[in-house]
């Protein structure tokens, strides 16, 4: 398969499989981790969008922008931002999970029945 | 766009976004040692200052949109932009004003008595305001997303604030997972659009896409971004999280959620549709359908609730459906005014429910039957305000919600008018039914059953420290002021003028692109939103209808869950089925999220791409 | 909804989204394409401000407000976690149990690695504008250095350093400093978050203007954040317990 097909497919697959993880999950920790998996799909999408064959890292030498092209640094900056956001939201959701385990006595989503209707 | 106005916006816009952040940092640092009134006062002043910034932005941008390229990175004409632009137009200014006002109302309500350790609650509210302001002012798609995530992160914590209550934690978790996944879908859309065009700035993106008929990446990318915003707006079928989050969040937080956070999703949809994808013709009809389904579903579920906060939450969902209809089809002039009026009324209602919680320890309509009929002045004032707010929700002139509703009825296509009227009448009737039952004890006392299918309002943790025989003035002042603000929205001609202009400019993507890219267009005069005789008459009519409906339901002795005759039993079964779908299970919500995204995406893409 | 109904609903949604995904990515330029207009503009801008690491230039100079938003999200999440993991009304804070014995090898390794990690973290932060790295990455390394103490010694050792005293103050101070640096640019008339310091020579340790300053500020803020986050989770496990029935 070509690189293009593999890259886009992996990106889409990760997002969908992460969502599947949430739908099927019997443990809230798995739910939170599946959410992270879904976000990694977006990282693959962005990095793939910025890739160029034969290009080098976006670090400028002493001569400034040289003759070799560099890969797209913008998508790397976006992914960097998103990784921080994802880590912090994961921490937040895990804190909620810890408290749910204490208050509900379970971390199984099927057994959380406090909100209905 | 005069030079002086732009200069002022260059300072005010970044300050509006970062000022609350700085204040939150200050509050966190001094929170350990400073006395509570100092922290409360700082936060309140910050919210009020934000509202003033919003007003300044509205005034400065009425001649034309003001674009601020941050860091001095304005692109030379014809070059590729590298910086971030903040674009202020009257709609953005109006929303910033709304954010500041509602935050001030919520902070006033929580003055001194709201349980807050080391000033964290006040800091979270300020950060929430910063997130919303950034989302509204951002002229760059990725910046919008970053502030969307900021809004979200703070909201998840505020929703689960009462950690002793199992419900809060569950509501916060489902809120967090669903909204985050919506944001990730939007990020996929941003990635696709970037790969297609190489642009992140909204105006440049729109300009690049305008050159050719919409192709696969353009359509799917825009749809994915819109799905993210629609999750925030709680449109069906992405709405499940809102009722849960509202039912459990502290009441001053619900004020912000219902008043401005959910409608911000509609703003995002309107902005992106207008600027980036005006060429995708199928978006408008699909959004109208989504809005209508949202409005109807919200109304139906509102009626069967016994938890007062959940009742108000479903009413918010119904009204967001109306805003979506307005923004998508002909009502662009009117929906911002409706939003402003609705925000004041809904915020006041939530705060009054908060007063009930503080006084009686419950938000259950059946549990509280006649409880507030104590004859004491503060309780009577609470009841009067509650009933007035219910009437306002039904469209009573001259309150702002009624003005917006009347104007929306006049601007949407005729076939949708019954939806607008129906939503207003039925949701207001539900609110009035609750108010009459709690404050006046009208109707026979219903038997106190435990409903396994429905969330009750009992056992809700008190939010305020200490028991209240006497309600503090600040707790009653806040809803009074917010309701008064709603009346001002309905009576001050300035609001109608500004709201109409803001709405039209929000829908005008060409003017937006011109103000960022090239010579700005002259602002075209717009017919202001005002009371017409027909609007006054229908407003009075819907108010009377709502009161009659509420009284009929109460006095016929039927509790909402009981159905006797076959037709009503069939209807009852459908409603019960709908209620069962709202299970509180995060897996269900995510399944609906994917399903809804796929349906909307295919509905938009298939006709466009052939 | 039953489990099966949920999976069927999800399946329909996933299939629909897959179709849309193929339509979307089918119309995109192939991966590895030469056409990246934003990259060309960004590299030129980074060179103009003498910042060798173009990603750092984008994060802290060209699109600084995105990073400010990210920093604020970090602050918000830490405040949120502190709020969510606070001792509840029916819980109390009790002193930790005595630590289990740690292997001497682990202890030596931990203490030996502590200064190394601190140095590496500082290096990553201070050279963020020259090499891959920067405030966020370096901040995380600095925070893990502190937790080597936990692995090498015990929770009481961390308590001696008392990160829970100063970390929750350093973190908002860091975010506040980030905003103030941006506002200084505003006050100087150059625009919010403008690069107003002298940018120096490309590749020199003191170059790129405010990018270096913001890197350091971000590093401090992120380090304090991670320390606070881990401290809160550890505290929840080790120190907070249910109120004894009276």
């Amino acid at each position: 398969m070509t690189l293009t097909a593999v890259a886009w497919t992996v990106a889409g697959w990760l997002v969908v499989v992460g969502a599947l993880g949430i739908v099927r999950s019997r443990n809230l920790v798995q739910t939170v981790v599946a959410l992270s998996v879904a976000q990694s799909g977006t990282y693959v999408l962005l990095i793939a969008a910025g890739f160029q064959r034969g290009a080098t890292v976006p670090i400028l030498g002493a001569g400034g922008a040289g003759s070799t092209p560099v890969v797209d640094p913008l998508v790397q900056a976006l992914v960097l931002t998103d990784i921080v956001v994802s880590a912090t939201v994961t921490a937040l959701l895990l804190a909620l999970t810890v408290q749910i385990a204490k208050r509900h006595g379970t971390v199984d989503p099927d057994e959380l029945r406090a909100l209905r209707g | 766009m005069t030079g002086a106005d732009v200069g002022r916006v260059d300072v005010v816009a970044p300050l509006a976004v970062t000022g609350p952040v700085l204040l939150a940092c200050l509050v966190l640092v001094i929170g350990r040692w400073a006395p509570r009134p100092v922290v409360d006062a700082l936060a309140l002043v910050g919210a009020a200052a934000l509202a003033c910034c919003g007003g300044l932005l509205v005034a400065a941008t009425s001649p034309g949109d003001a674009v601020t390229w941050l860091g001095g990175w304005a692109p030379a004409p014809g070059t590729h932009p590298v910086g971030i632009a903040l674009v202020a137009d009257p709609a953005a200014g109006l929303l910033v004003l709304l954010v500041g006002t509602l935050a001030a109302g919520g902070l006033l309500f929580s003055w001194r008595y709201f349980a807050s350790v080391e000033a964290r609650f006040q800091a979270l509210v300020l950060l929430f305001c910063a997130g919303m302001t950034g989302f509204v002012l951002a002229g760059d798609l990725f910046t919008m997303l970053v502030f969307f995530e900021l809004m979200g992160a703070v909201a998840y914590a505020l929703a689960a604030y009462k950690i002793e209550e199992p419900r809060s934690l569950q509501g916060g978790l489902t809120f967090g997972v669903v909204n985050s996944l919506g944001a990730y879908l939007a990020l996929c859309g941003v990635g696709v659009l970037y790969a297609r065009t190489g642009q992140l700035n909204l105006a440049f993106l729109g300009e690049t896409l305008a050159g050719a008929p919409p192709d696969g990446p353009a359509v799917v990318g825009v749809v994915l971004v819109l799905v993210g915003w629609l999750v925030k707006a709680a449109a069906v079928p992405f709405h499940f999280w809102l009722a849960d989050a509202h039912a459990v969040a502290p009441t001053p937080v619900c004020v912000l959620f219902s008043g401005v956070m959910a409608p911000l999703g509609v703003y995002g949809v309107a902005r992106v549709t207008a600027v980036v994808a005006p060429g995708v013709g199928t978006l408008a009809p699909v959004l109208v359908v989504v809005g209508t389904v949202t409005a109807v579903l919200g109304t139906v579920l509102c009626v069967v609730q016994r938890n007062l906060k959940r009742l108000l939450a479903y009413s918010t969902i119904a009204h967001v459906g109306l805003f979506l209809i307005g923004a998508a089809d002909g009502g662009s002039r009117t929906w911002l005014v409706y939003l402003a009026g609705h925000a004041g009324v809904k915020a006041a209602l939530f705060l009054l429910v908060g007063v009930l919680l503080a006084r009686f320890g419950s938000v259950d309509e059946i549990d509280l039957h006649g409880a507030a009929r104590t004859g004491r002045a503060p309780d009577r004032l609470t009841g009067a305000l509650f009933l007035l707010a219910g009437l306002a929700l039904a469209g009573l002139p001259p309150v702002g919600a009624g003005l917006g509703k009347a104007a929306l009825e006049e601007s949407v296509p005729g076939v949708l008018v019954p939806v607008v009227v129906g939503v207003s009448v039925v949701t207001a009737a539900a609110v009035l039914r609750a108010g009459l039952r709690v404050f006046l004890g009208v109707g026979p006392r219903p038997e106190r059953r435990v409903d396994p299918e429905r969330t009750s309002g009992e056992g809700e943790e008190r939010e305020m420290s200490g028991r209240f025989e006497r309600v503090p003035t600040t707790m009653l002042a806040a809803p009074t002021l917010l309701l008064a603000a709603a009346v001002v929205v309905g009576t001050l001609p300035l609001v109608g003028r500004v709201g109409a202009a803001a709405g039209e400019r929000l829908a005008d993507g060409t003017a937006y692109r011109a103000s960022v890219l090239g010579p700005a267009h002259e602002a075209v005069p717009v017919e202001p939103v005002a009371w017409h005789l027909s609007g006054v008459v229908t407003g009075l009519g819907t108010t009377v209808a709502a009161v009659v409906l509420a009284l009929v339901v109460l006095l016929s002795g039927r509790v909402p869950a009981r159905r006797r005759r076959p037709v009503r039993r069939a209807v009852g079964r459908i409603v019960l089925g709908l209620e069962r779908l709202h299970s509180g299970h995060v897996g269900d919500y995510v399944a609906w999220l994917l399903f809804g995204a796929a349906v909307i995406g295919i509905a938009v893409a298939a006709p466009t791409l052939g | 909804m039953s489990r099966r109904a949920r999976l069927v609903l999800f399946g329909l949604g996933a299939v629909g989204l897959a179709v849309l995904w193929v339509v979307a990515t089918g119309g995109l330029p192939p991966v590895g394409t030469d056409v990246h207009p934003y990259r060309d503009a960004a590299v030129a801008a980074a060179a103009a401000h003498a910042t060798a690491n173009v990603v750092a230039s984008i994060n802290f100079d060209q699109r600084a407000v995105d990073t400010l938003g990210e920093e604020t999200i970090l602050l918000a999440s830490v405040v949120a976690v502190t709020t969510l993991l606070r001792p509840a009304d029916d819980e109390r804070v009790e002193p930790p149990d005595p630590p289990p014995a740690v292997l001497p090898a682990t202890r030596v390794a931990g203490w030996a690695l502590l200064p190394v990690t601190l140095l590496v973290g500082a290096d990553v932060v201070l050279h963020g504008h020259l090499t891959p790295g920067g405030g966020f990455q370096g901040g995380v390394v600095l925070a893990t250095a502190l937790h080597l103490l936990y692995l090498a010694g015990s929770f009481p050792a961390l308590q001696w350093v008392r990160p829970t005293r100063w970390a929750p103050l350093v973190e908002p101070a860091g975010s506040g400093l980030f905003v103030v640096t941006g506002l200084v640019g505003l006050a100087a008339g150059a625009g919010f978050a403008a690069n107003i310091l002298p940018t120096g020579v490309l590749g020199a340790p003191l170059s790129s203007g405010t990018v270096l300053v913001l890197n350091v500020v971000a590093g401090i803020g992120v380090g304090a954040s991670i320390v606070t986050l881990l401290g809160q989770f550890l505290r929840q496990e080790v120190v907070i317990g249910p109120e004894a029935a009276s």
Side-chain angles (χ1 to χ4, degrees), chain A:
Chain A
M1 289 175 80
T2 64
L3 175 63
T4 307
V6 169
W8 300 143
T9 310
V10 167
W13 169 252
L14 281 172
V15 175
V16 168
V17 114
L20 178 65
I22 301 175
V23 168
R24 283 195 55 210
S25 156
R26 295 299 294 267
N27 186 315
L28 284 176
V29 178
Q30 181 185 8
T31 306
V32 175
V33 174
L35 195 61
S36 294
V37 170
Q39 176 146 54
S40 15
T42 62
Y43 305 155
V44 173
L45 170 66
L46 285 170
I47 298 287
F51 178 63
Q52 177 174 342
R53 286 187 195 281
T56 177
V57 282
I59 307 284
L60 303 177
S67 52
T68 340
V70 299
V71 289
D72 192 340
L74 174 76
V75 291
Q76 300 191 7
L78 300 185
V79 169
L80 183 55
T81 305
D82 281 321
I83 289 178
V84 173
V85 170
S86 160
T88 52
V89 170
T90 303
L92 218 164
L93 293 175
L94 285 175
L96 274 174
T97 308
V98 165
Q99 292 290 38
I100 285 181
K102 252 196 283 185
R103 295 288 159 185
H104 287 259
T106 173
V107 286
D108 188 342
D110 288 346
E111 288 174 26
L112 297 176
R113 294 195 185 292
L115 288 167
R116 284 173 322 265

Side-chain angles (χ1 to χ4, degrees), chain C residues 78-148:
Chain C
V78 172
V79 174
V81 168
T82 312
T83 309
L84 291 173
L85 291 181
R86 66 183 188 266
D89 293 342
D90 56 351
E91 288 175 333
R92 63 198 173 96
V93 178
E94 51 197 21
D97 294 332
V102 176
L103 287 179
T106 314
R107 182 167 308 166
V108 168
W111 284 105
L113 281 175
L114 175 63
V116 173
T117 319
L118 281 172
L119 274 177
V120 168
D123 177 73
V124 170
V125 169
L126 288 171
H127 291 132
H129 58 293
L130 298 172
T131 55
F136 289 91
Q137 298 91 321
V140 175
V141 175
L142 287 171
T144 43
L146 200 61
H147 289 93
L148 280 173

